[in-house]
Structure formats: structure tokens, C-alpha cells
Short mmCIF file of all heavy atoms in Angstrom, two decimals:
data_model
loop_
_atom_site.label_atom_id
_atom_site.label_comp_id
_atom_site.label_asym_id
_atom_site.label_seq_id
_atom_site.Cartn_x
_atom_site.Cartn_y
_atom_site.Cartn_z
N ARG S 1 -8.97 -10.03 2.23
CA ARG S 1 -8.90 -9.94 0.78
C ARG S 1 -7.47 -9.99 0.24
O ARG S 1 -7.25 -9.80 -0.96
CB ARG S 1 -9.56 -8.63 0.31
CG ARG S 1 -11.02 -8.52 0.68
CD ARG S 1 -11.61 -7.24 0.13
NE ARG S 1 -13.00 -7.07 0.54
CZ ARG S 1 -13.74 -6.02 0.19
NH1 ARG S 1 -13.21 -5.05 -0.56
NH2 ARG S 1 -15.00 -5.92 0.59
N GLY S 2 -6.51 -10.22 1.12
CA GLY S 2 -5.14 -10.30 0.62
C GLY S 2 -4.62 -8.99 0.09
O GLY S 2 -3.88 -8.96 -0.90
N TRP S 3 -5.00 -7.88 0.72
CA TRP S 3 -4.53 -6.54 0.31
C TRP S 3 -4.91 -6.22 -1.15
O TRP S 3 -4.17 -5.59 -1.87
CB TRP S 3 -3.00 -6.42 0.48
CG TRP S 3 -2.53 -6.43 1.88
CD1 TRP S 3 -2.34 -7.54 2.67
CD2 TRP S 3 -2.21 -5.32 2.71
NE1 TRP S 3 -1.90 -7.16 3.92
CE2 TRP S 3 -1.81 -5.81 3.97
CE3 TRP S 3 -2.18 -3.94 2.49
CZ2 TRP S 3 -1.41 -4.98 5.00
CZ3 TRP S 3 -1.80 -3.11 3.52
CH2 TRP S 3 -1.42 -3.64 4.76
N SER S 4 -6.08 -6.65 -1.58
CA SER S 4 -6.43 -6.51 -2.99
C SER S 4 -7.13 -5.20 -3.34
O SER S 4 -7.45 -4.97 -4.50
CB SER S 4 -7.33 -7.68 -3.42
OG SER S 4 -8.56 -7.66 -2.70
N THR S 5 -7.43 -4.33 -2.36
CA THR S 5 -8.10 -3.07 -2.67
C THR S 5 -7.12 -2.07 -3.29
O THR S 5 -5.90 -2.19 -3.12
CB THR S 5 -8.71 -2.46 -1.40
OG1 THR S 5 -7.65 -2.13 -0.49
CG2 THR S 5 -9.67 -3.43 -0.73
N ARG S 6 -7.65 -1.08 -3.98
CA ARG S 6 -6.81 -0.07 -4.61
C ARG S 6 -5.93 0.66 -3.58
O ARG S 6 -4.71 0.79 -3.81
CB ARG S 6 -7.68 0.93 -5.38
CG ARG S 6 -6.92 2.17 -5.92
CD ARG S 6 -7.90 3.09 -6.64
NE ARG S 6 -7.32 4.39 -6.94
CZ ARG S 6 -6.73 4.71 -8.09
NH1 ARG S 6 -6.62 3.79 -9.04
NH2 ARG S 6 -6.27 5.93 -8.29
N PRO S 7 -6.47 1.18 -2.46
CA PRO S 7 -5.59 1.86 -1.51
C PRO S 7 -4.47 0.96 -1.00
O PRO S 7 -3.32 1.40 -0.87
CB PRO S 7 -6.54 2.27 -0.38
CG PRO S 7 -7.89 2.35 -1.02
CD PRO S 7 -7.89 1.27 -2.04
N ALA S 8 -4.80 -0.31 -0.70
CA ALA S 8 -3.77 -1.22 -0.19
C ALA S 8 -2.71 -1.50 -1.24
O ALA S 8 -1.51 -1.53 -0.93
CB ALA S 8 -4.42 -2.52 0.28
N GLN S 9 -3.12 -1.71 -2.48
CA GLN S 9 -2.15 -2.00 -3.54
C GLN S 9 -1.24 -0.80 -3.79
O GLN S 9 -0.02 -0.96 -3.94
CB GLN S 9 -2.88 -2.39 -4.83
CG GLN S 9 -3.54 -3.74 -4.80
CD GLN S 9 -2.55 -4.90 -4.87
OE1 GLN S 9 -1.34 -4.72 -4.84
NE2 GLN S 9 -3.07 -6.12 -4.96
N LEU S 10 -1.79 0.40 -3.82
CA LEU S 10 -0.96 1.59 -4.04
C LEU S 10 -0.04 1.83 -2.84
O LEU S 10 1.13 2.18 -3.01
CB LEU S 10 -1.84 2.81 -4.28
CG LEU S 10 -2.33 3.02 -5.71
CD1 LEU S 10 -3.35 4.15 -5.77
CD2 LEU S 10 -1.18 3.30 -6.67
N ALA S 11 -0.56 1.63 -1.63
CA ALA S 11 0.26 1.82 -0.43
C ALA S 11 1.44 0.85 -0.43
O ALA S 11 2.58 1.22 -0.13
CB ALA S 11 -0.59 1.64 0.83
N ARG S 12 1.19 -0.39 -0.77
CA ARG S 12 2.26 -1.39 -0.80
C ARG S 12 3.27 -1.07 -1.90
O ARG S 12 4.48 -1.24 -1.71
CB ARG S 12 1.68 -2.79 -1.03
CG ARG S 12 0.80 -3.28 0.10
CD ARG S 12 0.23 -4.64 -0.19
NE ARG S 12 1.20 -5.69 0.11
CZ ARG S 12 1.08 -6.95 -0.31
NH1 ARG S 12 0.05 -7.29 -1.07
NH2 ARG S 12 1.97 -7.86 0.03
N ALA S 13 2.77 -0.62 -3.05
CA ALA S 13 3.69 -0.27 -4.13
C ALA S 13 4.55 0.93 -3.76
O ALA S 13 5.75 0.97 -4.07
CB ALA S 13 2.91 0.01 -5.41
N LEU S 14 3.98 1.92 -3.08
CA LEU S 14 4.77 3.06 -2.62
C LEU S 14 5.84 2.62 -1.63
O LEU S 14 6.97 3.11 -1.65
CB LEU S 14 3.85 4.11 -1.98
CG LEU S 14 2.94 4.91 -2.92
CD1 LEU S 14 2.05 5.83 -2.11
CD2 LEU S 14 3.75 5.70 -3.93
N ALA S 15 5.47 1.67 -0.75
CA ALA S 15 6.45 1.17 0.21
C ALA S 15 7.60 0.46 -0.51
O ALA S 15 8.76 0.60 -0.13
CB ALA S 15 5.77 0.23 1.20
N ARG S 16 7.27 -0.30 -1.56
CA ARG S 16 8.33 -0.96 -2.33
C ARG S 16 9.23 0.05 -3.02
O ARG S 16 10.40 -0.22 -3.29
CB ARG S 16 7.71 -1.90 -3.36
CG ARG S 16 7.10 -3.16 -2.78
CD ARG S 16 6.82 -4.20 -3.84
NE ARG S 16 5.84 -3.78 -4.81
CZ ARG S 16 4.52 -3.98 -4.68
NH1 ARG S 16 4.04 -4.57 -3.60
NH2 ARG S 16 3.69 -3.58 -5.62
N ARG S 17 8.69 1.22 -3.32
CA ARG S 17 9.49 2.26 -3.96
C ARG S 17 10.30 3.06 -2.95
O ARG S 17 11.01 3.97 -3.32
CB ARG S 17 8.57 3.21 -4.75
CG ARG S 17 7.79 2.53 -5.86
CD ARG S 17 8.58 2.42 -7.16
NE ARG S 17 9.74 1.56 -7.12
CZ ARG S 17 9.69 0.23 -7.20
NH1 ARG S 17 8.55 -0.39 -7.32
NH2 ARG S 17 10.79 -0.49 -7.18
N GLY S 18 10.15 2.77 -1.66
CA GLY S 18 11.01 3.38 -0.66
C GLY S 18 10.33 4.29 0.33
O GLY S 18 10.98 4.77 1.26
N LEU S 19 9.05 4.57 0.19
CA LEU S 19 8.37 5.45 1.14
C LEU S 19 7.90 4.67 2.36
O LEU S 19 7.46 3.53 2.24
CB LEU S 19 7.16 6.13 0.49
CG LEU S 19 7.44 7.49 -0.15
CD1 LEU S 19 8.20 7.29 -1.44
CD2 LEU S 19 6.14 8.23 -0.41
N TYR S 20 8.02 5.31 3.52
CA TYR S 20 7.41 4.77 4.72
C TYR S 20 5.94 5.15 4.67
O TYR S 20 5.58 6.33 4.58
CB TYR S 20 8.07 5.33 5.97
CG TYR S 20 7.62 4.65 7.23
CD1 TYR S 20 8.34 3.59 7.77
CD2 TYR S 20 6.45 5.04 7.87
CE1 TYR S 20 7.92 2.94 8.92
CE2 TYR S 20 6.02 4.40 9.02
CZ TYR S 20 6.76 3.35 9.54
OH TYR S 20 6.32 2.72 10.67
N THR S 21 5.05 4.15 4.71
CA THR S 21 3.62 4.38 4.53
C THR S 21 2.86 4.04 5.80
O THR S 21 2.96 2.92 6.31
CB THR S 21 3.08 3.52 3.36
OG1 THR S 21 3.81 3.84 2.17
CG2 THR S 21 1.61 3.77 3.14
N THR S 22 2.10 5.00 6.30
CA THR S 22 1.21 4.77 7.43
C THR S 22 -0.21 4.76 6.90
O THR S 22 -0.64 5.69 6.23
CB THR S 22 1.36 5.86 8.50
OG1 THR S 22 2.71 5.88 8.98
CG2 THR S 22 0.43 5.60 9.66
N ILE S 23 -0.94 3.69 7.19
CA ILE S 23 -2.34 3.57 6.79
C ILE S 23 -3.21 3.83 8.01
O ILE S 23 -3.08 3.15 9.03
CB ILE S 23 -2.63 2.17 6.21
CG1 ILE S 23 -1.78 1.93 4.96
CG2 ILE S 23 -4.12 2.03 5.88
CD1 ILE S 23 -1.92 0.52 4.39
N LEU S 24 -4.09 4.81 7.91
CA LEU S 24 -5.02 5.15 8.97
C LEU S 24 -6.41 4.72 8.53
O LEU S 24 -6.96 5.26 7.57
CB LEU S 24 -4.99 6.66 9.27
CG LEU S 24 -5.98 7.17 10.32
CD1 LEU S 24 -5.68 6.56 11.69
CD2 LEU S 24 -5.93 8.70 10.39
#
């Protein structure tokens, strides 16, 4: 889906803001 889900979009945005994000 090209990372189109809400969790994926928020996780990617947090990473762009500087957080290291681990998705389980």
C-alpha cells in the first residue's frame, strides 16, 4: 500500500521529525 496506513504515516512523520522509530 505504499505506507498509506495511519500508523505507517505517523511513524514516518515522527522519523522525519528526528525520532528513531521501531515498528513491531
Side-chain angles (χ1 to χ4, degrees):
R1 300 182 183 179
W3 292 81
S4 63
T5 64
R6 172 181 169 93
Q9 289 286 6
L10 276 172
R12 295 179 81 195
L14 288 176
R16 288 194 296 271
R17 299 275 66 79
L19 268 74
Y20 189 94
T21 302
T22 300
I23 298 175
L24 177 63

